[in-house]
Amino acid sequence: AMRECFVQADIDFHKVQATGDNGEEDFSGTTALVVFLINKVLYVANAGDCRCVLSHRGRAVPLSFDQKPTTVEEATRIKAAGGFIEDGYVNGALGCSRAIGDWHLDMKEYDSNGQSNGPLTAEPEVLTREVQDGDEFMVLGCDGLWDVFSSESAVEFARQQLRSSNDPESCSTQLVNEALNRHTADNVSVITVCFTSTPPPKRELQLSASDMEQRKATGGMARTISTEGLAQLSRALTGDL
């Protein structure tokens, strides 16, 4: 049903685009990410390069995958539909491989049953997940967020905000502000959804016996750098900040 809704929205969008406000063709397009929660089951439909990630006891769990023409799955689909990839763009024109709109690029084709036959499609990928104990919140964001945040760092950042304020709206605002501070070059939209009314609990560090011995040997001061921190350090050393 979610696939049918996306395709029908795309077809209806095309009808509106054909005339535009001033009688001229409209060249706009958009990605789309939709989440339904029904009977404790999450249904996530994604068309484009938005992303949904869930925090399970502080661990990032992907609920969608970025649809880029450079991924193996999307490249295979695009080529099977008669398209090609040039410099990471579908037919040399679009950086994401699924979208609503963008009909002016002449890359869309649906049959009478709504089945997509073109290299560009609005048909979403749909993932499902049953809500589990330990699921804390999820973050939905467009590509401007993920250009400067990994899924793991976004979950860590959001978790810190929610532990402080327990306010998902404020958390979303802080994620947007931090993306801007990191000089994202694209639009940024973020929605944070909490599964409980209480803030995420403090995480207890789980150490193996060998890790415990190492901490004792170093006076309990052992610490590792995060993946996000390592990436920022690398950019600083190469002058790419």
Side-chain angles (χ1 to χ4, degrees):
M2 297 178 81
R3 292 185 178 91
E4 294 171 358
C5 288
F6 270 62
V7 170
Q8 188 58 54
D10 191 31
I11 293 172
D12 292 344
F13 195 73
H14 181 40
K15 294 176 182 177
V16 175
Q17 279 187 310
T19 56
D21 293 336
N22 301 316
E24 299 179 355
E25 186 177 4
D26 183 359
F27 296 148
S28 59
T30 182
T31 58
L33 175 64
V34 175
V35 180
F36 279 101
L37 176 59
I38 303 174
N39 297 327
K40 295 194 69 175
V41 177
L42 290 165
Y43 297 86
V44 184
N46 183 45
D49 50 9
C50 291
R51 189 185 305 174
C52 179
V53 60
L54 176 143
S55 174
H56 177 79
R57 296 193 173 98
R59 179 174 60 87
V61 179
L63 295 184
S64 69
F65 297 96
D66 303 353
Q67 291 154 357
K68 302 279 192 179
T70 50
T71 65
V72 174
E73 294 81 3
E74 288 299 277
T76 300
R77 182 189 62 78
I78 291 165
K79 292 175 182 178
F84 62 91
I85 301 163
E86 181 178 301
D87 295 330
Y89 290 79
V90 184
N91 287 10
L94 197 63
C96 63
S97 52
R98 305 193 187 206
I100 292 175
D102 292 317
W103 283 85
H104 63 287
L105 298 175
D106 294 329
M107 292 190 289
K108 285 188 171 178
E109 181 183 339
Y110 297 107
D111 61 23
S112 58
N113 296 317
Q115 187 69 34
S116 175
N117 297 316
L120 179 63
T121 180
E123 183 177 348
E125 288 185 319
V126 180
L127 276 68
T128 62
R129 172 187 166 89
E130 186 173 354
V131 176
Q132 306 170 12
D133 289 339
D135 287 351
E136 299 167 341
F137 61 89
M138 60 183 174
V139 175
L140 293 78
C142 65
D143 58 338
L145 177 70
W146 309 114
D147 286 345
V148 292
F149 271 98
S150 66
S151 294
E152 292 77 12
S153 62
V155 163
E156 183 63 28
F157 185 92
R159 206 170 190 274
Q160 292 175 2
Q161 298 299 318
L162 291 170
R163 279 186 52 77
S164 174
S165 67
N166 197 31
D167 183 345
E169 184 174 352
S170 174
C171 176
S172 298
T173 299
Q174 292 305 315
L175 278 165
V176 170
N177 290 340
E178 181 61 22
L180 295 174
N181 289 338
R182 297 185 185 190
H183 307 294
T184 183
D186 216 325
N187 297 329
V188 190
S189 297
V190 179
I191 297 175
T192 305
V193 179
C194 296
F195 295 110
T196 65
S197 59
T198 56
K202 181 179 180 181
R203 286 185 294 183
E204 297 295 332
L205 184 62
Q206 300 295 324
L207 296 176
S208 65
S210 61
D211 289 334
M212 288 291 291
E213 290 299 323
Q214 183 181 11
R215 282 179 74 89
K216 290 178 181 179
T218 57
M221 298 299 292
R223 184 177 180 88
T224 58
I225 187 170
S226 68
T227 303
E228 181 68 17
L230 186 61
Q232 290 189 11
L233 176 60
S234 176
R235 291 197 294 269
L237 291 175
T238 58
D240 194 28
L241 280 177

